[in-house]
Amino acid sequence: MLELSNISKSFGSARVLDGVNLLIPPGSRTAIVGPSGSGKTTLLRLIAGFERPDSGQIMMRGRALFAGDQFVPAHQRKIGFVPQEGALFPHLRVGENIAWGLSGSRHEKRARVEALMAMVSLDSKLAQRWPHEISGGQQQRVALARALAQQPSLMLLDEPFSALDTGLRVATRKATADLLTQAGVASILVTHDQKEALSFASQIAVIRHGRFAQIGSPFEVYSQPADEETALFLGDALILSADVAQGKARCQLGDIPVDNASISGVRRIMLRPEQISVEPCDSAAGLPQAHIVDIDFVGYLSTLTLAFAHTDEHITVQTVTRPGWLPGMKVNIQINGCARVFAL
Ligand SMILES: Nc1ncnc2c1ncn2[C@@H]1O[C@H](COP(=O)(O)OP(=O)(O)OP(=O)(O)O)[C@@H](O)[C@H]1O
Ligand SMILES: [Mg+2]
């Protein structure tokens, strides 16, 4: 559907994108995640055609959108773009914003606008309002409806749900994902919300300093992150130093199997919280023992700080809260599955 090869872009002397490659399969959903300033919006603007790469190539369905001297302007790309700040036309009413670029009779346009507003859960009464008379979350949904109206073959979404509260955000994200899938429209979503990325996407691309640190399925990038930074970006993780040999990591938590038997030496390993169970101490169980130093209670989850007898290094583990836990209590730790061992 879309292929970016070796795309670079600088603003002045600052290199914002540095040799980016990305493949977007037809009808797929890609989430781009990465810290602020890492080049996410810039990448979307290059794909949309609002900005020109310094080098590289952008192909869409076998046609060059950018290659050498070739540059297809934004309005000829059939790419929908919902920008980070919504960017509605302030001199047009909500309904006119959505209808912008639609063809057909007035009656047809009005029916189409109503259908689009329903799709993004907007009350059709808002069609007569001016953009400044609706909320930020409503503006984002108008921008989404306006982009959908163009029936694009690729949709670019730059944090389109950021102004919505949690409930509406989940509902709108799900509705948008279903809508795009039904229409067979491939999409690229930029988000800061790691849960949103994992649930929306079929492919996740982790960007850092203008390069992709990792691209893979949500499960892959979550359970086999390329490095520590990526691991922490996608969720809570316990990262430890360990002595790795013959498929096992020796660390404070005992001997844990690792996911890559060919790696050995002193390495960093990672476990996700769901792999770690903390149980009341049973000295007959033969499991590693620790005692609770501190408990940070945040509802159904608690973060435990644990200390071990033979080292003074503490670890923190997020786990489901149990009544009766107290500082000083002895516990056993059980590990499920393999630890991820990072390459150097
Ligand atoms: N037109 C421009 N001129 C100069 N510098 C720019 C321009 N556009 C972006 N930049 C710079 O490029 C870098 C990447 O910006 P970009 O907007 O792509 O980041 P981002 O990943 O979208 O960040 P955020 O998560 O905060 O939206 C930033 O350092 C930014 O200041
Ligand atoms: Mg941005």
Side-chain angles (χ1 to χ4, degrees), residues 40-52 77 81 156:
K40 304 180 297 294
T41 296
T42 304
L43 185 62
L44 292 195
R45 290 177 56 80
L46 291 175
I47 297 171
F50 299 138
E51 209 86 61
R52 201 188 176 104
R77 292 193 178 190
F81 188 48
L156 308 177

Side-chain angles (χ1 to χ4, degrees), residues 21-324:
N21 298 298
L22 184 65
L23 202 63
I24 306 290
S28 65
R29 300 205 290 255
T30 299
I32 299 185
V33 297
S36 185
S38 56
K40 304 180 297 294
T41 296
T42 304
L43 185 62
L44 292 195
R45 290 177 56 80
L46 291 175
I47 297 171
F50 299 138
E51 209 86 61
R52 201 188 176 104
D54 298 334
S55 58
Q57 190 174 301
I58 304 178
M59 301 289 293
M60 189 160 152
R61 294 167 156 171
R63 167 184 181 219
L65 296 183
F66 173 77
D69 295 339
Q70 242 168 309
F71 182 80
V72 177
H75 65 275
Q76 289 173 10
R77 292 193 178 190
K78 281 222 108 183
I79 295 179
F81 188 48
V82 182
Q84 204 160 0
E85 65 290 352
L88 299 180
F89 304 123
H91 60 289
L92 296 181
R93 290 177 193 270
V94 163
E96 293 163 341
N97 259 281
I98 298 172
W100 185 81
L102 282 183
S103 52
S105 69
R106 249 175 85 173
H107 181 74
E108 283 166 347
K109 280 192 200 173
R110 190 178 310 155
R112 183 94 181 99
V113 166
E114 262 183 36
L116 286 159
M117 289 182 79
M119 274 181 203
V120 297
S121 325
L122 278 175
D123 189 332
S124 60
K125 288 195 204 91
L126 297 182
Q128 290 310 313
R129 299 252 190 106
W130 297 102
H132 72 267
E133 294 173 337
I134 59 175
S135 76
Q138 288 166 340
Q139 287 177 25
Q140 282 188 329
R141 282 176 286 155
V142 173
L144 185 60
R146 185 180 62 183
L148 286 168
Q150 301 303 308
Q151 297 183 299
S153 40
L154 175 67
M155 181 71 101
L156 308 177
L157 304 158
D158 198 351
E159 310 220 31
F161 315 123
S162 60
L164 308 181
D165 59 58
T166 317
L168 189 58
R169 186 181 177 122
V170 172
T172 310
R173 182 214 305 151
K174 176 111 190 26
T176 306
D178 291 348
L179 213 74
L180 294 169
T181 303
Q182 274 164 27
V185 179
S187 52
I188 306 179
L189 168 77
V190 164
T191 176
H192 272 106
D193 180 336
Q194 137 254 335
K195 289 199 184 98
E196 185 163 284
L198 293 171
S199 97
F200 176 88
S202 49
Q203 163 172 270
I204 293 193
V206 184
I207 194 169
R208 221 155 49 223
H209 311 306
R211 278 174 170 264
F212 285 126
Q214 189 170 11
I215 299 176
S217 72
F219 189 73
E220 250 162 41
V221 291
Y222 179 77
S223 58
Q224 301 177 311
D227 49 46
E228 290 186 40
E229 232 177 309
T230 303
L232 293 168
F233 209 84
L234 291 165
D236 280 308
L238 174 62
I239 296 178
L240 300 167
S241 292
D243 224 332
V244 180
Q246 291 165 347
K248 286 216 151 90
R250 179 152 292 180
C251 62
Q252 286 139 297
L253 304 179
D255 284 355
I256 304 171
V258 294
D259 66 342
N260 185 341
S262 65
I263 295 182
S264 63
V266 176
R267 295 302 176 105
R268 303 279 280 170
I269 62 165
M270 178 209 78
L271 292 162
R272 291 294 183 191
E274 62 273 23
Q275 294 183 268
I276 305 168
S277 351
V278 180
E279 305 289 337
C281 188
D282 171 4
S283 42
L287 292 169
Q289 283 180 19
H291 72 266
I292 300 175
V293 176
D294 186 42
I295 304 172
D296 184 12
F297 168 71
V298 284
Y300 87 99
L301 292 175
S302 293
T303 302
L304 302 182
T305 304
L306 301 173
F308 296 82
H310 47 280
T311 80
D312 32 343
E313 219 178 306
H314 291 177
I315 65 164
T316 58
V317 174
Q318 198 177 59
T319 179
V320 175
T321 300
R322 289 219 195 172

